[in-house]
Amino acid sequence: MNVELTDLRRRFGRTEAVAGVSLQAGPGVFGLLGPNGAGKTSLLRMMATVLAPSSGRMELLGRDPGDHADRREIRRRLGYLPQSLGYYPGFTVSEFVEYFALLKDMPPAKVPGAVASAVERCGLSDRARSKLRSLSGGMLRRVGIAQAIVNDPELLLLDEPTAGLDPEQRMAFRALLREIGGRATVVVSTHLVEDVGAACTEVTLMNQGKIVFHGTPAQLTARGEGSGAAGDAPLERGYSAVLSEARA
Amino acid sequence: MIATGAPASRAPAGWRPAAPSILRLWWIEFRRSPMPLILPLIAVLFWFDSYRPSASQAPLYPLVTFWNMGQGHTIIDFAPFVAGMAAWTGARDGRRGTGDLVAATARPRWVAQLATWAATTTWALAAYLVFVGVMFAAYAHRGVQGEPPWWWVAVGVTGVATFTAAGFALGVLIPNRFVAPIAAFAAFLAMALSSKIGFSDGSGWALILPTDSTGNFQQDSGIFYRYLPDLPIARMMFLAGITVAVLGLAGLPPAAGGRRLRMAAVGVTAAGLAATGAAVGLATTARLTPHGIDIPALHDAASDRLIAYTPVCAGSGIRVCLNPAYKSYLTDTTAALTAVARDVAGLPGAPVRAVQSPAAYSTGGQSGQPMTISGQPPVLSVPLGAYWFLPGNSGFNPPVPVQMYDQSIWLVFLQAFVGAGTGPGTPPEQAVRAALLQSMGVPFAAQNGLLADTYLTQALSAPASTPVYAAAKRLAALPDAARHAWLATHLVALRAGRLTLAQVP
């Protein structure tokens, strides 16, 4: 298993953002759904080794992120796209991606090829020399994805990756997720249920810091059948039905 | 369009061969550093504050660089701006919201930040060296003589690095958009304080401040003797210590790296502080010597050796030989000395030759060093570098007209001739000096002003008393031959202090 979480908790003052999450994940694409404030971003930040858990046990890529040497090794093999992508406006696309390739301790000889590949896979080859300040929001999001995949990660954590992408880009992105998910663990936090349906092999639904559903997209769809829950699509109705149950 | 498929391994055209990661990080940061944006502003300030004030100085390196190097104005011009820009860069992750992104990477944050600092500092140092280089090239074009104060350039380079480090560390520790102006203001305040202390405190720990010119930047440094490197070395140690310490501080936060790395940062900080403390300790052992500040633990006796030179000479009545750095003064100095030497020719102790001697520094500046006459035949020793009334770059323009230069030379010559030394002299010596000056064409009424203007010593600048001038008028009223005869017979007694005012005819 690339991800093993046991009773993971994270508290911010009196608020428990993540309230005892246990999860296991191997290769594949995992969708993380939930309303605002459900704890998805906090969970992803902990899995990205950015945020230390308040309690519980976490093992990533077979290593303990609490140990410095292990954490460094995890980070070498990790790709992470935060919800809010900060960037250096004076850098070009290639420089930004290369910068993160270097920060991820990639062997210098492999960096140029990896950067070119990541930029190309995100459809940014023609803008590789453009300054980030000149890019649109959707393009910036793709730059964020490019830096996340530049090291060919075994664990890829994407927080709202499709925000700002046009429908065509979103479809291509889903294909990319499926392709990466064939060999790595991809965790995608999103509000867009159709992304989960199209790209994810498993889906986890969080509410108030807890996992209230874990299964396949088909199982989630089934939960909505005949429930009378709100939603334009079957998966959305499943999502609404699970949430309604959890809140009840 | 986002594409699927196996990752491509080929590199596009234009990619360079793989360089060590840290060098590539540095290169990316260097290319995208915001530091160049501030350089035009520094250039303008540098022009007005560092270069322009030197333009009116006599064309000698210790004089033209006294303000910008000795009193550290090149560092003052850089410090607030580079500190502010470095703070802006250091605070980048906080301002740009890239904290999570960089925190999730394997390379210790501190190491990456050091690469960022190095790139920022490279710009600042390159700019400093270019600006100073251009300034020195302008000096060379003007024919400025002597050796440039390279040790002080090295101090300036270290100082600029210190301010970028301090600003950067502040930005890392307080990563918000307000830290840049705060760092700039703090740097300005530090330099203002350093300047104030440098002006008022010329010994002890204050000598370590790069704006303290006391005793280490002298008229004949780089001309007769080398700039003593003792104090610059201590200052570089002081500034480098601060640089290392503040960069170490940037490695202390938990986000900077692992426990071992942060322990190393503690060690680096401690080492920097130790170097800084040691440098301050060394400064307190400094002592003023005639050729600069000597720090016993750092002093190399080889630094005391005079610089060999072949003098340039002129004149026939009195042969005047100067250091070639003072070649531009040879004609005027020879003319002035020839005139006054002619007036006393044939009298006991009248010099037949004048040789330039190195100016010696003392507390309070170059003042207080007289001409001396010694040997047989008598030779006049002229510490030309000790006199502030040398004409400027463009010659005898105001405020140093040729008449004033001549009269000042005569006054200092006659001070030596009557044997008054560095003090005001005895009343009879003052009277004879005044009478001889009057015979050279300097009216009594103008002499007090000349004394005050020349102010070779505080004592010399004290105006002579009325009885002195009464005696001087009696002597000056004598026919030239009679005055000459009286001097021929009484000069020895006058110099020995055995005459009274009443004995002056």
Side-chain angles (χ1 to χ4, degrees):
Chain A
M1 286 292 154
N2 283 345
V3 177
E4 285 194 62
L5 313 179
T6 311
D7 196 25
L8 203 65
R9 292 172 187 272
R10 174 68 205 198
R11 183 175 281 283
F12 295 102
R14 291 182 177 180
T15 308
E16 198 167 36
V18 178
V21 167
S22 296
L23 192 68
Q24 289 190 332
V29 183
F30 293 80
L32 200 54
L33 288 174
N36 290 332
K40 304 185 298 293
T41 294
S42 295
L43 183 62
L44 275 189
R45 291 183 75 209
M46 283 192 283
M47 291 166 70
T49 72
V50 171
L51 192 65
S54 303
S55 66
R57 191 169 162 277
M58 180 162 57
E59 201 173 282
L60 303 170
L61 303 171
R63 292 171 184 270
D64 174 12
D67 175 79
H68 173 65
D70 277 3
R71 185 164 65 239
R72 194 166 177 190
E73 184 54 32
I74 292 166
R75 287 174 173 177
R76 283 195 183 100
R77 298 154 60 189
L78 177 78
Y80 175 48
L81 174 68
Q83 185 178 31
S84 170
L85 175 73
Y87 62 94
Y88 309 138
F91 281 37
T92 64
V93 171
S94 286
E95 284 168 346
F96 190 73
V97 176
E98 182 183 1
Y99 185 77
F100 280 93
L102 295 168
L103 290 188
K104 290 175 183 184
D105 255 358
M106 287 187 70
K110 290 188 176 174
V111 168
V115 171
S117 168
V119 168
E120 189 180 317
R121 292 168 85 190
C122 291
L124 290 165
S125 294
D126 57 335
R127 302 302 298 268
R129 290 171 189 272
S130 302
K131 295 268 181 76
L132 296 186
R133 69 164 66 93
S134 70
L135 301 186
S136 66
M139 284 181 179
L140 283 173
R141 208 67 196 152
R142 282 191 270 156
V143 173
I145 295 165
Q147 68 76 29
I149 64 171
V150 68
N151 57 333
D152 205 11
E154 292 166 56
L155 176 59
L156 180 59
L157 307 170
L158 305 168
D159 201 348
E160 305 286 355
T162 53
L165 298 187
D166 61 41
E168 193 181 12
Q169 291 294 338
R170 201 178 296 165
M171 283 188 292
F173 173 70
R174 289 171 191 158
L176 178 65
L177 285 189
R178 284 192 294 269
E179 182 243 312
I180 295 173
R183 60 179 183 281
T185 302
V186 182
V187 182
V188 187
S189 165
T190 181
H191 289 291
L192 300 172
V193 179
E194 63 265 37
D195 283 347
V196 172
C200 298
T201 50
E202 288 184 52
V203 59
T204 297
L205 206 159
M206 287 184 74
N207 185 45
Q208 294 183 333
K210 293 181 175 156
I211 291 177
V212 293
F213 173 84
H214 182 81
T216 63
Q219 288 169 330
L220 183 59
T221 302
R223 292 283 291 270
E225 286 170 1
S227 66
D232 295 330
L235 200 55
E236 274 184 5
R237 286 193 283 276
Y239 171 87
S240 299
V242 171
L243 270 186
S244 299
E245 281 175 30
R247 284 168 181 159
Chain B
M1 164 106 38
I2 294 171
T4 57
S9 58
R10 67 184 168 77
W15 281 101
R16 60 285 113 199
S21 300
I22 200 74
L23 280 182
R24 272 305 294 173
L25 275 178
W26 172 85
W27 175 243
I28 293 172
E29 296 282 9
F30 179 76
R31 286 186 64 179
R32 301 304 168 199
S33 172
M35 187 62 86
L37 300 175
I38 202 78
L39 296 182
L41 186 60
I42 298 177
V44 171
L45 187 65
F46 191 89
W47 170 265
F48 283 107
D49 185 51
S50 281
Y51 178 72
R52 281 288 292 275
S54 68
S56 60
Q57 294 294 322
L60 298 168
Y61 264 104
L63 292 183
V64 296
T65 57
F66 180 79
W67 168 262
N68 52 44
M69 289 290 164
Q71 298 195 344
H73 272 257
T74 57
I75 306 175
I76 295 172
D77 297 341
F78 268 77
F81 301 104
V82 297
M85 199 49 101
W88 181 253
T89 308
R92 185 177 62 184
D93 289 331
R95 282 185 295 108
R96 294 287 170 197
T98 46
D100 274 8
L101 210 50
V102 295
T105 57
R107 191 177 293 274
R109 196 66 204 125
W110 188 42
V111 174
Q113 282 169 335
L114 288 181
T116 310
W117 169 77
T120 306
T121 303
T122 304
W123 275 110
L125 295 188
Y128 182 84
L129 289 173
V130 167
F131 292 180
V132 170
V134 168
M135 184 167 72
F136 282 8
Y139 291 157
H141 184 69
R142 271 173 51 187
V144 173
Q145 298 293 310
E147 292 175 0
W150 297 120
W151 279 108
W152 275 264
V153 176
V155 172
V157 165
T158 318
V160 169
T162 302
F163 279 99
T164 61
F168 189 84
L170 201 62
V172 167
L173 298 173
I174 312 170
N176 64 46
R177 62 184 65 249
F178 300 109
V179 73
I182 290 171
F185 182 70
F188 173 76
L189 210 60
M191 292 313 289
L193 203 63
S194 172
S195 287
K196 189 175 184 306
I197 295 170
F199 275 118
S200 61
D201 204 340
S203 61
W205 74 271
L207 283 174
I208 206 69
L209 299 173
T211 53
D212 194 331
S213 59
T214 305
N216 66 86
F217 211 89
Q218 302 161 57
Q219 293 281 50
D220 280 335
S221 297
I223 296 173
F224 277 95
Y225 41 83
R226 288 175 173 78
Y227 298 92
L228 288 188
D230 304 18
L231 199 54
I233 289 172
R235 285 179 180 177
M236 283 193 283
M237 191 172 157
F238 173 73
L239 293 166
I242 294 174
T243 306
V244 168
V246 295
L247 289 177
L249 281 179
L252 297 183
R259 182 182 158 80
R260 202 175 291 174
L261 189 106
R262 283 157 57 209
M263 289 305 291
V266 170
V268 166
T269 305
L273 291 176
T276 302
V280 173
L282 285 171
T284 60
T285 67
R287 59 178 188 230
L288 186 63
T289 70
H291 295 165
I293 294 287
D294 174 333
I295 296 177
L298 299 174
H299 193 68
D300 179 0
S303 306
D304 295 329
R305 281 203 294 269
L306 291 179
I307 298 171
Y309 68 95
T310 305
V312 289
C313 301
S316 52
I318 179 170
R319 188 75 175 156
V320 178
C321 290
L322 301 182
N323 186 297
Y326 286 81
K327 190 178 177 182
S328 59
Y329 301 116
L330 183 62
T331 305
D332 296 308
T333 306
T334 302
L337 284 175
T338 300
V340 70
R342 189 188 305 124
D343 208 46
V344 298
L347 293 173
V352 294
R353 201 156 63 89
V355 174
Q356 187 182 3
S357 55
Y361 200 90
S362 63
T363 307
Q366 286 81 10
S367 60
Q369 194 177 355
M371 291 184 190
T372 55
I373 299 171
S374 61
Q376 195 55 248
V379 174
L380 178 73
S381 175
V382 186
L384 207 55
Y387 305 140
W388 72 273
F389 49 77
L390 292 175
N393 176 49
S394 51
F396 287 108
N397 287 331
V400 187
V402 66
Q403 185 189 33
M404 185 184 166
Y405 183 72
D406 287 349
Q407 291 180 353
S408 300
I409 288 285
W410 298 340
L411 170 63
V412 187
F413 176 95
L414 292 171
Q415 173 82 357
F417 185 69
V418 301
T422 56
T426 62
E429 286 170 343
Q430 292 178 34
V432 172
R433 186 188 67 204
L436 290 174
L437 263 180
Q438 203 273 347
S439 77
M440 293 294 300
V442 184
F444 290 122
Q447 289 188 13
N448 272 347
L450 182 63
L451 283 164
D453 285 346
T454 308
Y455 68 88
L456 291 178
T457 66
Q458 289 301 318
L460 191 57
S461 67
S465 63
T466 307
V468 166
Y469 278 116
K473 282 174 184 167
R474 291 201 304 274
L475 183 61
L478 292 178
D480 287 350
R483 187 173 63 246
H484 200 270
W486 183 85
L487 286 170
T489 54
H490 291 86
L491 264 176
V492 174
L494 177 76
R495 290 170 183 150
R498 294 198 302 268
L499 285 185
T500 63
L501 272 183
Q503 289 174 286
V504 177

